[in-house]
Amino acid sequence: MANITSPYESVTFGNSLSLRVDGGVGAVSINPSGRDVVLAGRRGLYVVDLDDPFSPPRWLHHLTSWEVADVQWSPHASKPAWVISTSNQKAMVWNLARTANSAIELVLHGHSRAITDINFHPDHPELLATCSVDTSVLAWDTRTPKRPFYTVSDWRAGASQVKWNFKNPNILSSSHDHYFYIWDLRNNSKPLLKINAHERKINGVDFSRTKESEIISSSNDNTVKFWDLAKDTENPVSVINTGFPVWRARHLPFGDGCSIMPLRGGNNSIYLASHSEQEGDNKLKPCYVFKGHTDRVTDFLWRSRHSSSGVDDREFQLVTWSKDCDLRLWNMNDDIYDRVGFKRGEPKELLAYDYKTYREEPGTATNKGYALKKTKDTFVTSRGESINTDDHLTWISGVRIGRSAFAPPIDQNPNMTVGNAPDNLGEEVSVVGHKFPKVKFEKISVSTGTLVLSLNGPWGSNPEDLLFLRLETKYPRTYPSDPPTFRIEENRELVNEKRQEIMQNLNDIAKKFASVERFSLEACLRFLMGEKVDLSNLEKDDDDFNLPLEDFDDLSSLPSSISSSESEAEDDELIPLAQSGLNSAPTFDSTPIPKGCGASWTKSGQLVCFFIPQRESKSQKI
């Protein structure tokens, strides 16, 4: 793993990123430090290190037939490893600092029907709220998890969302049908306010981060409404008519604006809108549109970083998750900040978080030496299915950084022309690994620039006999401008003269390609397998990669072929499925096997038996 201790060392902050995850994911959340993303589905939790996206995720196994409605990472520095996810009517509190076998720290069970939303208290690390289809809203103290300390219900309509007030620790809001409530923990079960806000169902509410009385509501009636409950509880301050049903509308964590996510339509985009000095009804006029997903966006998050200088120098990056199974990171620029009134450089004390990742299993020993291993690496927790290096190669195929991040699949736009050369080591390994299936990648660590691979080449005493070789390659951070270094494992069948010849030629190839800033892995592998590599006609714009990167867009990143769209309508994820990618296994046949015999008692007490008749062979008949 890369030794990254600061968000300013991140290789993905400021870079576009596309991460394809086909694992039936239903919800997503982000670590408050911005280092990790957690994806929750019926198979459990997947923890992805955004600063090392080429490493497969940590998998915390929890099979369930229920769709995950929500997952939330604790926003508190005192509970940096806590994640809470839904499992039907239960809320599972995970501690990622524990090993996979003991990661579930608490189970909160107080609802009688499925939970629809969860929300950590913004001030108290031990408090959180849940709401459910059973119409109730529960507030929990994790120090006494057996029962909630506060319970309220609408008794008529299920609750769609619950949110704490950022400025008043005793106030929370819940949305039901076309109205929402304002509750006070000190006021027993009687609501402070009931706001008949919309004509159709409300999908979400969100309190302002700076003003106690301001709240946003979004609905299926194609509107987003801004309320100032201290001034008027009957009429909103302003209304945005979007032209599509709105799933979520939230205040921006910077400036004076909101982000809008459609329920249907809306070009599968996220809209940023400024509501500074707006009043009355307004048509949606977005400041910026994040467009690129091929299916509906189901959630969005904000990743941020800042220094400890005492001024507001925050930078933001939008993280989106869609039904197209694509996790994307979108960059921001000063023009977008200006459009929503965000002024950087003003005095502001900002919270500091420990910038660490929880992708690795606790207690896993990391070998930092320069040594070769014959054993295969395991990349996820031992509690779930292991992802070996073949699956690691498939995972890498779904990771795109930089110019190729948002390139559409080639079957969606066959006329597109994108350069075939990779942008980084991870993409190079993906292309070359699938191009040479007989080359075994035993270890892939893009973050540290280490590859261990094995193959058979004509390097024995008899050129017709293939000799087994294991090679470790170290790539510098400046690759391909600087060449990698090589080391060949000791082999008694490989004479010293041949070893020196191989090393000399590998170094020559790597240096020649580095002189023109070209990737050299494919050329090195071709040489090791006995092909002659011509170094005389190398040019900087030449390209050895005949296999376009877009050919791997249909490869899923997790060993499950269920997409999030299909998983909503089907509950068959517990059945063994065909693994996606090039190394797929045969699809499981669920057709029941016919009974070969059986027996049943009749009403008269007789036992009736049946058997499959035995067929006599022709020789017996003769």
Side-chain angles (χ1 to χ4, degrees):
M1 184 189 69
N3 186 23
I4 298 176
T5 59
S6 167
Y8 288 94
E9 301 174 10
S10 172
V11 295
T12 56
F13 212 111
N15 256 328
S16 298
L17 172 68
S18 173
L19 185 63
R20 188 170 179 82
V21 186
D22 186 7
V25 173
V28 62
S29 187
I30 191 169
N31 185 299
S33 70
R35 179 70 183 266
D36 293 338
V37 163
V38 60
L39 302 122
R42 297 180 185 179
R43 295 165 58 88
L45 301 185
Y46 298 97
V47 182
V48 179
D49 183 359
L50 293 180
D51 285 343
D52 190 11
F54 290 104
S55 294
R58 175 187 177 191
W59 179 23
L60 291 94
H61 194 186
H62 178 68
L63 285 179
T64 175
S65 58
W66 305 102
E67 185 74 17
V68 176
D70 195 17
V71 62
Q72 293 288 320
W73 204 307
S74 172
H76 302 286
S78 60
K79 300 285 185 182
W82 272 27
V83 172
I84 182 169
S85 66
T86 65
S87 180
N88 197 20
Q89 73 271 29
K90 299 178 182 179
M92 322 287 291
V93 180
W94 303 76
N95 188 342
L96 302 186
R98 296 183 175 183
T99 59
N101 293 327
S102 60
I104 298 179
E105 184 157 319
L106 299 171
V107 177
L108 307 179
H109 191 183
H111 292 283
S112 58
R113 296 187 65 186
I115 296 174
T116 55
D117 192 42
I118 48 185
N119 189 227
F120 275 101
H121 198 287
D123 298 325
H124 300 287
E126 304 289 348
L127 304 185
L128 58 95
T130 60
C131 66
S132 167
V133 179
D134 63 11
T135 78
S136 64
V137 176
L138 308 181
W140 302 83
D141 188 331
T142 55
R143 293 166 293 190
T144 55
K146 291 186 177 181
R147 60 178 60 88
F149 71 88
Y150 180 75
T151 303
V152 290
S153 293
D154 173 62
W155 304 109
R156 295 176 182 85
S160 57
Q161 210 174 28
V162 60
K163 286 290 176 286
W164 291 97
N165 191 297
F166 286 94
K167 307 304 290 183
N168 190 329
N170 297 303
I171 301 297
L172 68 161
S173 176
S174 63
S175 56
H176 309 253
D177 196 27
H178 64 280
Y179 49 89
F180 65 87
Y181 289 105
I182 303 296
W183 309 93
D184 191 326
L185 299 180
R186 303 161 296 185
N187 202 37
N188 296 325
S189 59
K190 183 179 179 180
L192 290 180
L193 295 171
K194 179 182 179 181
I195 310 297
N196 292 298
H198 292 267
E199 297 177 357
R200 300 183 66 182
K201 180 186 175 183
I202 297 176
N203 293 315
V205 291
D206 187 57
F207 278 107
S208 170
R209 287 168 168 74
T210 57
K211 298 180 181 179
E212 178 183 341
S213 60
E214 293 187 358
I215 189 171
I216 294 179
S217 60
S218 55
S219 168
N220 286 345
D221 63 6
N222 300 354
T223 63
V224 176
K225 296 187 177 183
F226 300 85
W227 303 82
D228 189 340
L229 303 180
K231 296 179 180 179
D232 193 341
T233 59
E234 300 291 334
N235 302 297
V237 174
S238 64
V239 179
I240 294 180
N241 294 286
T242 60
F244 49 76
V246 182
W247 179 241
R248 294 287 186 264
R250 300 171 184 157
H251 287 95
L252 293 176
F254 54 90
D256 187 14
C258 70
S259 44
I260 299 173
M261 181 173 66
L263 174 63
R264 294 184 301 273
N267 296 317
N268 306 317
S269 305
I270 298 293
Y271 297 83
L272 298 191
S274 173
H275 59 80
S276 176
E277 300 180 356
Q278 286 193 2
E279 295 183 357
D281 287 2
N282 303 275
K283 188 176 180 180
L284 175 61
K285 296 179 181 179
C287 299
Y288 196 81
V289 180
F290 295 93
K291 181 180 179 181
H293 283 288
T294 58
D295 205 340
R296 182 173 74 88
V297 180
T298 58
D299 205 354
F300 65 93
L301 312 158
W302 290 101
R303 184 188 187 198
S304 66
R305 67 178 179 182
H306 59 82
S307 66
S308 56
S309 59
V311 299
D312 191 354
D313 58 355
R314 291 175 295 167
E315 301 174 62
F316 291 89
Q317 199 172 29
L318 180 66
V319 183
T320 58
W321 171 252
S322 167
K323 284 191 173 182
D324 60 13
C325 303
D326 200 4
L327 181 75
R328 293 192 173 190
L329 268 61
W330 309 77
N331 291 325
M332 303 283 288
N333 54 48
D334 291 337
D335 183 52
I336 300 176
Y337 294 142
D338 291 339
R339 293 181 184 183
V340 295
F342 177 46
K343 297 180 180 179
R344 302 173 63 193
E346 297 182 351
K348 187 179 181 68
E349 291 296 329
L350 300 170
L351 295 176
Y353 297 94
D354 187 14
Y355 199 72
K356 62 176 292 186
T357 180
Y358 292 91
R359 187 194 65 82
E360 290 190 344
E361 182 77 1
T364 301
T366 303
N367 183 16
K368 297 183 179 179
Y370 191 77
L372 296 166
K373 292 184 177 181
K374 292 186 178 180
T375 57
K376 294 182 179 180
D377 289 333
T378 299
F379 295 97
V380 295
T381 88
S382 57
R383 191 179 180 188
E385 298 175 359
S386 299
I387 296 182
N388 59 30
T389 49
D390 292 333
D391 296 317
H392 189 181
L393 207 58
T394 304
W395 169 267
I396 291 177
S397 300
V399 181
R400 303 285 186 80
I401 296 180
R403 65 178 176 90
S404 62
F406 300 159
I410 195 169
D411 56 353
Q412 295 180 13
N413 191 359
N415 297 321
M416 68 180 297
T417 56
V418 179
N420 294 335
D423 276 345
N424 49 64
L425 177 61
E427 291 183 2
E428 182 187 23
V429 171
S430 172
V431 174
V432 174
H434 288 96
K435 200 171 184 179
F436 300 100
K438 291 187 178 181
V439 176
K440 182 66 177 178
F441 286 84
E442 299 183 6
K443 179 178 180 180
I444 305 172
S445 178
V446 177
S447 61
T448 60
T450 304
L451 296 181
V452 177
L453 54 90
S454 57
L455 51 82
N456 294 312
W459 300 105
S461 55
N462 184 358
E464 295 182 358
D465 296 334
L466 297 180
L467 182 66
F468 175 82
L469 296 177
R470 180 175 284 114
L471 177 74
E472 182 179 46
T473 310
K474 286 278 191 176
Y475 292 87
R477 291 186 177 274
T478 53
Y479 177 77
S481 298
D482 292 318
T485 58
F486 305 94
R487 180 176 178 181
I488 301 176
E489 183 186 50
E490 295 290 337
N491 189 335
R492 63 181 181 181
E493 298 180 3
L494 180 64
V495 297
N496 188 55
E497 292 77 8
K498 284 289 184 181
R499 178 190 298 276
Q500 296 299 327
E501 178 187 347
I502 295 172
M503 291 294 294
Q504 181 63 43
N505 281 277
L506 286 176
N507 288 326
D508 290 343
I509 293 172
K511 290 178 181 178
K512 184 63 177 179
F513 274 73
S515 66
V516 292
E517 298 184 3
R518 290 184 53 191
F519 293 84
S520 58
L521 177 58
E522 179 177 351
C524 292
L525 292 184
R526 288 187 181 276
F527 167 74
L528 290 174
M529 291 186 290
E531 295 186 25
K532 184 178 180 180
V533 179
D534 186 8
L535 301 178
S536 60
N537 297 319
L538 280 181
E539 294 181 6
K540 194 168 185 179
D541 295 333
D542 284 348
D543 189 8
D544 283 346
F545 290 87
N546 300 318
L547 187 60
L549 297 178
E550 292 79 13
D551 286 350
F552 302 117
D553 278 12
D554 60 347
L555 294 177
S556 56
S557 302
L558 295 178
S560 169
S561 61
I562 286 184
S563 68
S564 58
S565 300
E566 294 169 345
S567 64
E568 290 185 354
E570 299 178 1
D571 288 336
D572 58 353
E573 193 169 348
L574 302 183
I575 299 174
L577 297 169
Q579 290 191 354
S580 54
L582 299 178
N583 302 315
S584 35
T587 305
F588 179 77
D589 186 4
S590 60
T591 305
I593 301 174
K595 290 185 177 180
C597 61
S600 178
W601 291 100
T602 66
K603 292 183 179 180
S604 60
Q606 293 178 316
L607 181 64
V608 178
C609 303
F610 65 89
F611 306 91
I612 295 178
Q614 294 183 354
R615 298 180 179 178
E616 296 182 357
S617 63
K618 293 183 179 180
S619 59
Q620 290 178 330
K621 290 182 179 179
I622 294 174

